Amino acid sequence: MANGSEQAPAVAAETSMPQQADGLGHDGSQSSQRSSALKPEEIHTTAELELDGLTDHSDEEAGGMSRLERIKTSFGARPECFRNTLQEVAFVMQATVATASTAFLMGTALIITVPVSLDLNMTQGEISWISASTSLVAGAFQLALGQLADLLGRKAMFIMGMAGFSLFSLLVAFAQNPFWMLIVCGVLGIPAAMVVPPAIGILGAAYAAPSKRKNAAFSSFSAGNPLGFVFGTILCGIATQLFNWRAAFILLSIIWAVFTVSAFWAVPNVETYERGPLRQRLSALRQFDYVGTILTVFGTGMFTAGLTLGPQDGWSRAHVIALIVVGVALLVVFVFWERVFPSPLMPLYIWKDRNFSLIILVVIFGNMSFQATGFWIAFYMQQVQRLSTLSVAVRLLPMAIAGLLWNILAGRILHRVNNTLLMIFGAVSYLAAALLFSFMGPDSNYWAFVFPALVLNVAGADLQFNVANMYVLQSLPSHQQSLAGGIFNVVLRLSNTAVLGITTAIFSSVEASPASIGDQLLKYTRTFQATIALAAVGVVISPFIKLGTQGNAPAVEIQNDQKPEKSMDDTIDARKPSQQIEEKHHL
């Protein structure tokens, strides 16, 4: 991507790729040392500029560049698709809010559990479907909408998705019975799935070159999923406390309406196609994977529906077993279909990248622990401690504050600290948080158990999401960036639904046992112990990820009238992981 920084003509910026030991699945082998075809007399000076000012060359040594220009160069130039920095910041906020859509709704659904059940006479099973229905529909349509965004237009789909989320959130606020609420919440999953792929696609294409500027943008974006749940709980908890549960959805509608209006200006036109008439662009639909879409919609929909109905209806019921078995069968057929279709929804070759597969696994198990502990600790505060929605929101506030701080830290260390260590630290943080929740007693001090657990929980989410988002977007070429985001988000949404089904089954079975009669905390303890097992899996897998740093500052070379010629080794090393994986795939 061309950059817009002002440099002397004699300066050429060469982007350095993330330092990975195993980015392409070569079993951890180190990359070979780069050779150079340059002669010493061809280059006057080579300077690698760092934002923290480690270099201290004079202006003459830097080809006449001032210190401010050198700092701007090392930080990374503003992508040309943004007219100014204000638009750039506004779009990053848009992308963050977009990826937080489903998580924000989950936090809202959790905090209104008691008042909505009393107002609409909803059972516990119906209440669990408020957020489950959204996740189910969003997960089912995510891959298809990701491919459509790349084919037909990212900006248009983003704006339609934001507007749809605002409209249907307002419709939920006027629900008069459980069926009204659950059906509209299910429809909400479609706009929630519409906004994420184009946001990721534009973000990945705009920040194509690794830089500290890209790190800052992605650290903000990665906060969307974990912090969406937290802010949904806090903001909608305050609205519910001051007014009623309907005010929570009205607030949700207002927030997304504001971002919809601002999206017309803030979201840049970063598309994968040549500008042309709509009829011409619609011809791209011939490349769309219709069969894959049908298989994923029904496969993921039936599978997640079975997982959600199991705890309430019983796992041995015929319809629950049928939903799970048929759902899995359709997903297996989907995998075989993707191997033969020329433009698949999910290119299977990306799973041959060992790091990609391991990162997805670690994030899935960590996120399952995060979602389950967050859900059940808030439920515990409402049901056992009898706290008001506002009191629950206040007690969860440390997650929001800590989450913002962890993301700032992540943006500053992704290019300095080995990313494998960050993944391991995140996995251990999840495990420590789950242990603290499981050790909690009825009279345990909030500051000794809940507070540190909340801080550690969001640390794991923020660090792992930053590393994962950066790596996942490099695993597919620029024209499939929206699809890359769709793949990442569909596995997250399926894991969210799965973990709520699993932990609800554990909670219900313990609640029905005689041992739970005299110990009202036992069902919560057993549920938190299940999250320990989930977090432990991530701890075991994470050391096998082989990453270096990501988002390193570009090297600036001061040279004579022409660019130096690169050796063959340099040319190979400069390719993106996605390009190298594709070559291996075609071979």
Side-chain angles (χ1 to χ4, degrees), residues 226-293:
L227 291 187
F229 177 81
V230 178
F231 279 105
T233 304
I234 294 172
L235 294 179
C236 293
I238 294 172
T240 302
Q241 181 70 28
L242 295 178
F243 303 99
N244 54 45
W245 67 268
R246 298 179 189 277
F249 286 95
I250 293 174
L251 175 63
L252 199 64
S253 177
I254 293 172
I255 293 173
W256 261 253
V258 171
F259 278 97
T260 299
V261 174
S262 65
F264 286 92
W265 167 77
V267 179
N269 287 299
V270 180
E271 309 295 356
T272 61
Y273 54 79
E274 296 285 338
R275 287 188 175 276
L278 178 62
R279 181 179 300 178
Q280 181 180 335
R281 283 188 275 139
L282 288 176
S283 64
L285 288 176
R286 285 177 289 189
Q287 306 172 38
F288 186 68
D289 187 359
Y290 294 99
V291 175
T293 299

XYZ file of all heavy atoms in Angstrom, residues 226-293:
548
model
N -13.913 -8.688 23.592
C -13.951 -8.807 25.056
C -14.618 -7.623 25.750
O -15.374 -7.792 26.707
C -12.470 -8.927 25.448
C -11.710 -8.377 24.297
C -12.531 -8.648 23.085
N -14.345 -6.399 25.266
C -14.895 -5.228 25.954
C -16.342 -4.964 25.574
O -17.062 -4.287 26.314
C -14.045 -3.988 25.639
C -12.644 -3.986 26.251
C -11.973 -2.641 26.023
C -12.690 -4.287 27.746
N -16.789 -5.493 24.431
C -18.197 -5.337 24.079
C -19.097 -5.963 25.120
O -20.121 -5.390 25.519
N -18.727 -7.149 25.581
C -19.502 -7.827 26.619
C -19.518 -7.007 27.910
O -20.560 -6.844 28.558
C -18.890 -9.209 26.886
C -19.549 -9.972 27.994
C -20.725 -10.672 27.773
C -19.002 -9.993 29.273
C -21.341 -11.377 28.802
C -19.601 -10.688 30.296
C -20.780 -11.386 30.062
N -18.365 -6.461 28.273
C -18.250 -5.703 29.523
C -19.068 -4.421 29.459
O -19.860 -4.121 30.363
C -16.766 -5.377 29.817
C -16.650 -4.558 31.091
C -15.953 -6.655 29.927
N -18.889 -3.642 28.373
C -19.617 -2.383 28.265
C -21.110 -2.608 28.058
O -21.936 -1.798 28.487
C -19.040 -1.538 27.120
C -17.801 -0.790 27.495
C -16.556 -1.214 27.060
C -17.873 0.327 28.308
C -15.406 -0.533 27.415
C -16.735 1.020 28.673
C -15.494 0.597 28.219
N -21.474 -3.710 27.398
C -22.888 -4.034 27.282
C -23.513 -4.254 28.646
O -24.631 -3.805 28.928
N -22.778 -4.950 29.500
C -23.262 -5.200 30.859
C -23.366 -3.911 31.668
O -24.369 -3.669 32.355
C -22.309 -6.188 31.575
O -22.194 -7.374 30.792
C -22.830 -6.530 32.951
N -22.339 -3.074 31.574
C -22.286 -1.863 32.399
C -23.299 -0.810 31.926
O -24.137 -0.329 32.705
C -20.859 -1.282 32.396
C -19.899 -2.253 33.098
C -20.830 0.083 33.074
C -18.443 -1.870 32.970
N -23.235 -0.420 30.644
C -24.094 0.653 30.148
C -25.572 0.278 30.196
O -26.418 1.070 30.627
C -23.689 1.014 28.717
C -22.295 1.632 28.541
C -22.017 1.919 27.068
C -22.155 2.911 29.358
N -25.877 -0.941 29.759
C -27.277 -1.357 29.770
C -27.761 -1.670 31.179
O -28.959 -1.567 31.466
C -27.467 -2.560 28.851
S -27.210 -2.132 27.112
N -26.830 -2.033 32.066
C -27.192 -2.197 33.478
C -27.612 -0.877 34.097
O -28.584 -0.812 34.866
N -26.893 0.185 33.761
C -27.247 1.520 34.269
C -28.608 1.959 33.706
O -29.465 2.478 34.441
C -26.156 2.537 33.896
C -24.845 2.191 34.626
C -26.596 3.959 34.220
C -23.664 3.018 34.191
N -28.813 1.733 32.390
C -30.091 2.114 31.777
C -31.252 1.348 32.392
O -32.330 1.910 32.639
C -30.030 1.865 30.265
N -31.039 0.053 32.651
C -32.098 -0.766 33.256
C -32.400 -0.310 34.676
O -33.579 -0.271 35.092
C -31.670 -2.246 33.266
O -31.396 -2.663 31.921
C -32.760 -3.131 33.849
N -31.358 0.045 35.408
C -31.549 0.488 36.786
C -32.303 1.821 36.844
O -33.186 2.019 37.686
C -30.185 0.636 37.475
C -30.250 1.083 38.927
C -30.807 0.010 39.835
O -30.665 -1.180 39.540
N -31.440 0.404 40.931
N -31.971 2.739 35.933
C -32.593 4.060 35.948
C -34.011 4.034 35.382
O -34.871 4.802 35.829
C -31.736 5.043 35.146
C -30.336 5.326 35.712
C -29.578 6.280 34.797
C -30.431 5.907 37.130
N -34.265 3.178 34.392
C -35.583 3.140 33.742
C -36.156 1.717 33.818
O -36.797 1.359 34.785
C -35.460 3.641 32.295
C -34.898 5.019 32.178
C -33.554 5.217 31.862
C -35.690 6.126 32.401
C -33.027 6.505 31.768
C -35.180 7.418 32.316
C -33.839 7.601 31.993
N -35.940 0.929 32.787
C -36.368 -0.473 32.770
C -35.553 -1.208 31.710
O -34.705 -0.618 31.045
C -37.873 -0.599 32.506
C -38.298 0.131 31.242
O -37.652 0.033 30.197
N -39.397 0.888 31.332
N -35.842 -2.506 31.532
C -35.025 -3.283 30.602
C -35.193 -2.828 29.158
O -34.278 -2.973 28.334
C -35.366 -4.776 30.700
C -36.742 -5.153 30.224
C -37.885 -5.240 30.958
C -37.106 -5.492 28.874
N -38.950 -5.610 30.174
C -38.496 -5.784 28.879
C -36.406 -5.599 27.677
C -39.183 -6.143 27.740
C -37.090 -5.970 26.535
C -38.464 -6.231 26.578
N -36.325 -2.238 28.832
C -36.537 -1.750 27.467
C -35.594 -0.601 27.138
O -35.180 -0.428 25.982
C -37.995 -1.317 27.298
C -38.990 -2.453 27.503
C -40.432 -1.986 27.360
N -41.372 -3.025 27.768
C -41.786 -4.021 26.989
N -41.355 -4.074 25.739
N -42.625 -4.935 27.440
N -35.249 0.190 28.141
C -34.323 1.306 27.932
C -32.947 0.809 27.498
O -32.220 1.516 26.783
C -34.200 2.135 29.211
N -32.572 -0.400 27.915
C -31.274 -0.961 27.529
C -31.205 -1.153 26.014
O -30.196 -0.821 25.372
C -31.048 -2.297 28.235
N -32.279 -1.660 25.416
C -32.283 -1.866 23.966
C -32.452 -0.560 23.209
O -31.953 -0.412 22.085
C -33.380 -2.866 23.586
C -33.033 -4.284 23.938
C -33.468 -4.838 25.137
C -32.259 -5.053 23.097
C -33.149 -6.145 25.477
C -31.925 -6.358 23.427
C -32.370 -6.907 24.618
N -33.164 0.394 23.795
C -33.261 1.716 23.168
C -31.892 2.378 23.138
O -31.485 2.980 22.137
C -34.285 2.591 23.911
C -35.697 2.015 23.736
C -34.235 4.030 23.408
C -36.767 2.724 24.552
N -31.134 2.247 24.241
C -29.769 2.775 24.282
C -28.906 2.099 23.219
O -28.126 2.752 22.515
C -29.165 2.561 25.673
C -27.693 2.953 25.850
C -27.507 4.449 25.622
C -27.195 2.564 27.235
N -29.044 0.794 23.100
C -28.303 0.034 22.092
C -28.622 0.559 20.691
O -27.720 0.760 19.860
C -28.694 -1.441 22.200
C -27.774 -2.495 21.582
C -26.436 -2.510 22.272
C -28.434 -3.866 21.680
N -29.895 0.802 20.426
C -30.325 1.307 19.126
C -29.742 2.691 18.845
O -29.299 2.975 17.723
C -31.850 1.360 19.070
O -32.290 1.898 17.847
N -29.737 3.548 19.851
C -29.212 4.914 19.674
C -27.725 4.886 19.357
O -27.237 5.596 18.463
C -29.499 5.764 20.929
C -31.008 5.998 21.079
C -28.749 7.091 20.867
C -31.396 6.666 22.386
N -26.971 4.085 20.099
C -25.516 4.013 19.883
C -25.212 3.574 18.455
O -24.393 4.191 17.762
C -24.874 3.047 20.896
C -24.981 3.602 22.313
C -23.399 2.796 20.536
C -24.525 2.630 23.392
N -25.875 2.511 17.991
C -25.593 2.014 16.640
C -26.135 2.955 15.567
O -25.579 3.016 14.469
C -26.153 0.603 16.483
C -25.080 -0.427 16.665
C -24.493 -1.185 15.695
C -24.446 -0.808 17.892
N -23.533 -2.015 16.242
C -23.488 -1.809 17.587
C -24.585 -0.418 19.220
C -22.678 -2.404 18.551
C -23.793 -1.012 20.189
C -22.854 -1.986 19.857
N -27.194 3.712 15.861
C -27.711 4.695 14.903
C -26.699 5.822 14.690
O -26.473 6.276 13.554
C -29.036 5.275 15.396
N -26.079 6.279 15.769
C -25.058 7.329 15.672
C -23.888 6.854 14.819
O -23.389 7.578 13.941
C -24.578 7.745 17.079
C -23.357 8.672 16.979
C -25.700 8.435 17.846
N -23.441 5.634 15.048
C -22.322 5.105 14.278
C -22.724 4.840 12.820
O -21.880 4.919 11.925
C -21.783 3.834 14.920
C -20.832 4.105 16.053
C -21.267 4.093 17.368
C -19.494 4.390 15.804
C -20.394 4.356 18.419
C -18.614 4.661 16.836
C -19.058 4.640 18.157
N -23.990 4.539 12.578
C -24.444 4.350 11.200
C -24.322 5.642 10.407
O -23.813 5.652 9.278
C -25.912 3.882 11.178
O -26.023 2.635 11.864
C -26.395 3.707 9.738
N -24.776 6.737 10.992
C -24.705 8.040 10.320
C -23.250 8.438 10.069
O -22.889 8.872 8.963
C -25.440 9.112 11.148
C -25.235 10.493 10.529
C -26.928 8.794 11.252
N -22.404 8.275 11.076
C -20.999 8.679 10.928
C -20.244 7.766 9.961
O -19.208 8.159 9.414
C -20.303 8.682 12.289
O -20.240 7.375 12.833
N -20.757 6.553 9.725
C -20.065 5.608 8.837
C -19.998 6.112 7.402
O -19.061 5.777 6.665
C -20.762 4.252 8.881
N -20.986 6.907 6.968
C -20.954 7.430 5.603
C -19.692 8.244 5.344
O -19.162 8.258 4.225
C -22.197 8.293 5.340
C -23.449 7.500 5.155
C -24.287 7.213 6.233
C -23.800 7.019 3.903
C -25.445 6.477 6.060
C -24.967 6.284 3.721
C -25.791 6.009 4.810
N -19.197 8.929 6.387
C -17.974 9.719 6.248
C -16.737 8.942 6.688
O -15.688 9.006 6.035
C -18.091 10.996 7.095
C -16.777 11.704 7.261
C -16.128 12.488 6.339
C -15.942 11.674 8.425
N -14.947 12.943 6.857
C -14.811 12.460 8.136
C -16.047 11.067 9.677
C -13.782 12.657 9.063
C -15.032 11.255 10.595
C -13.917 12.042 10.297
N -16.863 8.191 7.769
C -15.677 7.584 8.382
C -15.166 6.369 7.626
O -13.954 6.131 7.586
C -15.983 7.203 9.835
N -16.048 5.566 7.037
C -15.614 4.312 6.399
C -15.095 4.610 4.995
O -15.828 5.147 4.160
C -16.778 3.305 6.327
C -16.329 2.018 5.636
C -17.293 3.002 7.730
N -13.836 4.276 4.704
C -13.273 4.549 3.374
C -13.720 3.507 2.347
O -14.189 2.427 2.705
C -11.760 4.452 3.622
C -11.639 3.453 4.726
C -12.854 3.658 5.605
N -13.559 3.846 1.098
C -13.861 2.904 0.015
C -12.610 2.080 -0.290
O -11.763 2.487 -1.083
C -14.320 3.654 -1.243
C -15.719 4.214 -1.115
O -16.674 3.473 -0.926
N -15.844 5.538 -1.198
N -12.505 0.953 0.367
C -11.385 0.035 0.124
C -12.000 -1.270 -0.360
O -12.424 -2.106 0.435
C -10.550 -0.197 1.398
C -9.394 -1.152 1.116
C -10.026 1.123 1.943
N -12.088 -1.415 -1.660
C -12.765 -2.560 -2.244
C -11.787 -3.438 -3.015
O -10.667 -3.021 -3.327
C -13.894 -2.104 -3.175
C -14.862 -1.102 -2.563
C -15.675 -1.669 -1.396
O -15.540 -2.866 -1.099
O -16.451 -0.905 -0.780
N -12.231 -4.637 -3.339
C -11.377 -5.580 -4.056
C -11.670 -5.583 -5.552
O -11.056 -6.328 -6.298
C -11.593 -7.010 -3.521
O -12.958 -7.380 -3.730
C -11.269 -7.082 -2.054
N -12.623 -4.747 -6.002
C -13.020 -4.740 -7.396
C -12.806 -3.362 -7.999
O -12.662 -2.364 -7.286
C -14.493 -5.132 -7.541
C -15.425 -4.286 -6.701
C -15.801 -3.005 -7.096
C -15.909 -4.765 -5.483
C -16.628 -2.226 -6.317
C -16.735 -3.997 -4.696
C -17.104 -2.724 -5.126
O -17.913 -1.957 -4.342
N -12.772 -3.303 -9.310
C -12.708 -2.031 -10.017
C -14.063 -1.340 -9.903
O -15.107 -1.976 -9.988
C -12.370 -2.259 -11.501
C -10.997 -2.864 -11.736
C -9.882 -1.861 -11.531
O -10.178 -0.647 -11.630
O -8.752 -2.277 -11.262
N -14.027 -0.019 -9.721
C -15.286 0.718 -9.634
C -16.065 0.582 -10.948
O -15.502 0.705 -12.028
C -15.026 2.193 -9.349
C -14.579 2.430 -7.919
C -14.532 3.929 -7.642
N -14.222 4.170 -6.242
C -15.105 4.172 -5.273
N -16.373 3.928 -5.552
N -14.761 4.406 -4.033
N -17.353 0.315 -10.841
C -18.166 0.139 -12.035
C -19.634 0.085 -11.666
O -20.004 0.154 -10.492
N -20.509 -0.051 -12.655
C -21.947 -0.112 -12.388
C -22.303 -1.312 -11.510
O -21.604 -2.324 -11.499
C -22.558 -0.258 -13.791
C -21.497 0.197 -14.738
C -20.199 -0.118 -14.087
N -23.434 -1.182 -10.800
C -23.866 -2.261 -9.919
C -24.096 -3.555 -10.700
O -23.755 -4.636 -10.238
C -25.152 -1.846 -9.186
C -25.754 -2.905 -8.248
C -24.775 -3.246 -7.138
C -27.071 -2.398 -7.663
N -24.669 -3.437 -11.910
C -24.945 -4.628 -12.711
C -23.648 -5.375 -13.020
O -23.606 -6.604 -13.014
C -25.641 -4.226 -14.006
C -25.992 -5.414 -14.909
C -26.703 -4.956 -16.167
N -27.957 -4.262 -15.841
C -28.752 -3.725 -16.762
N -28.410 -3.792 -18.049
N -29.870 -3.128 -16.400
N -22.597 -4.607 -13.280
C -21.304 -5.230 -13.571
C -20.763 -5.945 -12.347
O -20.199 -7.037 -12.433
C -20.326 -4.159 -14.046
C -18.936 -4.694 -14.394
C -18.021 -3.576 -14.846
O -18.471 -2.538 -15.337
N -16.722 -3.775 -14.663
N -20.945 -5.324 -11.168
C -20.440 -5.945 -9.939
C -21.265 -7.166 -9.546
O -20.749 -8.104 -8.951
C -20.452 -4.911 -8.796
C -19.310 -3.927 -8.875
C -19.253 -3.055 -7.642
N -20.128 -1.903 -7.748
C -20.881 -1.428 -6.755
N -20.897 -2.039 -5.602
N -21.624 -0.373 -6.922
N -22.559 -7.143 -9.887
C -23.397 -8.295 -9.559
C -22.971 -9.550 -10.307
O -23.299 -10.671 -9.907
C -24.866 -7.977 -9.868
C -25.561 -6.990 -8.916
C -26.973 -6.699 -9.399
C -25.586 -7.534 -7.491
N -22.225 -9.359 -11.399
C -21.732 -10.528 -12.137
C -20.775 -11.353 -11.286
O -20.555 -12.538 -11.552
C -21.032 -10.081 -13.423
O -19.872 -9.304 -13.125
N -20.219 -10.725 -10.242
C -19.311 -11.447 -9.345
C -20.040 -12.534 -8.563
O -19.402 -13.442 -8.014
C -18.637 -10.477 -8.376
N -21.379 -12.433 -8.502
C -22.141 -13.441 -7.766
C -22.022 -14.829 -8.376
O -22.324 -15.823 -7.728
C -23.618 -13.034 -7.713
C -23.967 -11.852 -6.798
C -25.442 -11.506 -6.911
C -23.601 -12.167 -5.355
N -21.560 -14.887 -9.649
C -21.342 -16.192 -10.254
C -20.221 -16.960 -9.552
O -20.136 -18.180 -9.657
C -21.016 -16.026 -11.737
C -22.241 -15.675 -12.583
C -21.882 -15.448 -14.024
N -21.136 -14.196 -14.202
C -20.838 -13.668 -15.389
N -21.211 -14.286 -16.497
N -20.173 -12.544 -15.476
N -19.352 -16.219 -8.835
C -18.268 -16.862 -8.097
C -18.694 -17.264 -6.686
O -17.926 -17.896 -5.970
C -17.063 -15.914 -7.997
C -16.571 -15.370 -9.320
C -15.512 -14.305 -9.102
O -14.669 -14.408 -8.216
N -15.549 -13.251 -9.909
N -19.899 -16.859 -6.296
C -20.324 -17.086 -4.914
C -20.589 -18.566 -4.651
O -21.137 -19.279 -5.494
C -21.581 -16.261 -4.619
C -22.023 -16.307 -3.187
C -21.271 -15.722 -2.193
C -23.200 -16.960 -2.829
C -21.677 -15.767 -0.867
C -23.613 -17.009 -1.516
C -22.851 -16.415 -0.534
N -20.225 -19.005 -3.457
C -20.368 -20.411 -3.074
C -21.754 -20.637 -2.460
O -21.925 -20.617 -1.243
C -19.259 -20.769 -2.079
C -19.235 -22.257 -1.759
O -20.079 -22.994 -2.288
O -18.366 -22.667 -0.966
N -22.761 -20.888 -3.319
C -24.131 -21.061 -2.841
C -24.298 -22.372 -2.067
O -24.959 -22.405 -1.024
C -25.111 -21.022 -4.018
C -25.183 -19.681 -4.704
C -24.485 -19.445 -5.886
C -25.935 -18.643 -4.171
C -24.532 -18.216 -6.515
C -26.003 -17.405 -4.782
C -25.295 -17.194 -5.967
O -25.349 -15.968 -6.583
N -23.720 -23.430 -2.579
C -23.840 -24.717 -1.894
C -23.165 -24.663 -0.529
O -23.720 -25.142 0.475
C -23.224 -25.851 -2.757
C -23.237 -27.173 -1.991
C -23.980 -25.992 -4.066
N -21.971 -24.065 -0.468
C -21.277 -23.923 0.809
C -22.076 -23.103 1.800
O -22.090 -23.388 3.002
N -22.766 -22.068 1.288
C -23.595 -21.232 2.160
C -24.728 -22.041 2.780
O -24.988 -21.963 3.986
C -24.172 -20.049 1.358
O -23.109 -19.254 0.859
C -25.085 -19.206 2.232
